[in-house]
Amino acid sequence: MNQYDYAGLYQFLAHTPEQGLKKMLIDQKSFTDVHFNLMLKVVRGCSEADFCSHAEKTDFPKVKMGPAEIKIKEKFWADLTAVCSSRGLLGPAQKVAA
């Protein structure tokens, strides 16, 4: 069971216009344009299930990364989780009744 509702986050990121996401997420401190571009590549490059899996394992789908993205990829998932949590976009995973 994962700790966060990454499925809900994926749906939000996949269906919110890019300009709105930019205004919401980029602060140039903990979440930069480089983070944002890598996030878009990941969201566009995989399904909801794959996104959740990559987020939990903190790895990446096959996406082409530039030098700046390679530099941030170690902390990318932690940074994304932190910024989305602080903006109220990512909450704890909902308990699913068995």
Side-chain angles (χ1 to χ4, degrees):
M1 175 70 189
N2 64 5
Q3 188 179 350
Y4 293 102
D5 177 22
Y6 286 115
L9 178 62
Y10 174 86
Q11 288 300 323
F12 180 80
L13 296 175
H15 296 99
T16 302
E18 194 173 315
Q19 282 306 96
L21 288 175
K22 272 188 175 180
K23 284 188 182 122
M24 237 178 278
L25 298 175
I26 296 175
D27 59 15
Q28 299 306 349
K29 292 183 222 53
S30 57
F31 207 79
T32 64
D33 291 302
V34 177
H35 286 86
F36 186 80
N37 292 333
L38 181 54
M39 177 196 72
L40 285 183
K41 285 182 185 179
V42 172
V43 169
R44 291 174 179 159
C46 60
S47 67
E48 178 183 313
D50 290 340
F51 179 84
C52 294
S53 171
H54 291 302
E56 288 166 35
K57 294 181 198 151
T58 65
D59 64 6
F60 293 90
K62 295 271 185 259
V63 292
K64 194 171 181 144
M65 291 187 203
E69 292 166 332
I70 290 169
K71 212 183 280 183
I72 64 155
K73 80 179 210 182
E74 285 294 310
K75 286 185 66 221
F76 171 78
W77 288 107
D79 293 342
L80 179 65
T81 299
V83 79
C84 290
S85 295
S86 74
R87 307 281 198 283
L89 303 176
L90 181 63
Q94 301 299 312
K95 298 274 185 279
V96 179

